Amino acid sequence: MFKRFNYKQLFQYFLQGLLVLAPVVVTGYALYWVVTSIDELLPIFTIIDEQGKVKVRNFGLGFVIIIGAISIVGYLSTFFIQSRIFNLFDHWLEKVPGIKFVYTTVKDFFEAFAGEKKKFNKPVLANVDDNDVWRVAFLTRDDMDDFGLKDYVAVYVPMSYSISGNVYLIPSDRIKSLDGHVTGSEAMKFAISGGVTKLEDEIEAEAAAHKV
């Protein structure tokens, strides 16, 4: 007699395959979307489709040129003379009405994640609601005197599975520093992943990478 087909086992195999393939497919699609989106910003080669619409077909060349140009600007900005030129240009943009708001907002956003002035490098636990619940956050300002708040700090609390977050102004005695326990990137990954990332694994992997 034939064995009875095990639908439950088949479902388990399906879930196992999903666990293996989903992270790879999602990561691959995200990389594809980033590369193609940047690639289409520079219309080197174009084609006209059946509807008469012009489409960019650089096959990655535009991506390489744009990333290369950005890297060259970053390289040149590290030198003293060029640095002064960039600083002058930066100072001018920060003074132009209208442009100032957009430029400074975008600049502050990117500097918060990278560069010498990055802000999300001070992970803390924040007691936002004045109860026994603590949130993973980042200290962005250690005084709020400009806002008329004495002994207050500003913290940024990232949301899970999202690039967004919230800023809270809370008393300084309601935060606990995580300095020496986890790095800023580890805390950010832990918060965005919904707390499923194992910090021990991350720390061990980082230590192993430094030994190589």
Side-chain angles (χ1 to χ4, degrees), residues 63-203:
F63 173 81
V64 172
I65 293 174
I66 291 173
I67 296 301
I70 293 173
S71 300
I72 291 171
V73 170
Y75 173 73
L76 292 176
S77 66
T78 60
F79 292 98
F80 175 73
I81 296 176
Q82 286 86 349
S83 234
R84 294 194 63 176
I85 295 173
F86 284 118
N87 286 337
L88 255 156
F89 184 67
D90 178 74
H91 180 74
W92 178 76
L93 286 176
E94 288 182 349
K95 296 296 182 183
V96 179
I99 295 177
K100 173 185 175 181
F101 176 76
V102 177
Y103 177 73
T104 55
T105 302
V106 174
K107 178 186 173 185
D108 289 343
F109 174 78
F110 280 99
E111 283 187 345
F113 289 94
E116 297 177 356
K117 300 179 181 179
K118 57 183 177 182
K119 305 296 183 183
F120 300 144
N121 57 357
K122 297 179 180 178
V124 297
L125 292 178
N127 191 337
V128 175
D129 302 308
D130 195 18
N131 51 30
D132 292 331
V133 178
W134 294 83
R135 306 188 191 193
V136 177
F138 294 86
L139 181 66
T140 54
R141 288 190 63 173
D142 54 12
D143 76 78
M144 297 304 301
D145 291 343
D146 294 343
F147 286 74
L149 297 172
K150 183 74 173 174
D151 297 327
Y152 269 66
V153 296
V155 294
Y156 172 80
V157 179
M159 293 183 179
S160 298
Y161 301 102
S162 173
I163 60 171
S164 60
N166 293 307
V167 177
Y168 295 94
L169 309 182
I170 61 175
S172 57
D173 60 358
R174 279 165 47 188
I175 64 168
K176 294 180 181 179
S177 175
L178 292 176
D179 188 30
H181 299 283
V182 296
T183 64
S185 60
E186 289 162 356
M188 182 67 80
K189 189 173 182 180
F190 180 82
I192 292 177
S193 69
V196 299
T197 296
K198 294 181 180 179
L199 294 179
E200 295 84 1
D201 294 345
E202 294 293 317
I203 294 170

Side-chain angles (χ1 to χ4, degrees), residues 10-26:
L10 178 62
F11 184 65
Q12 288 292 336
Y13 289 150
F14 172 78
L15 288 180
Q16 185 63 35
L18 199 62
L19 286 172
V20 172
L21 291 176
V24 176
V25 172
V26 171

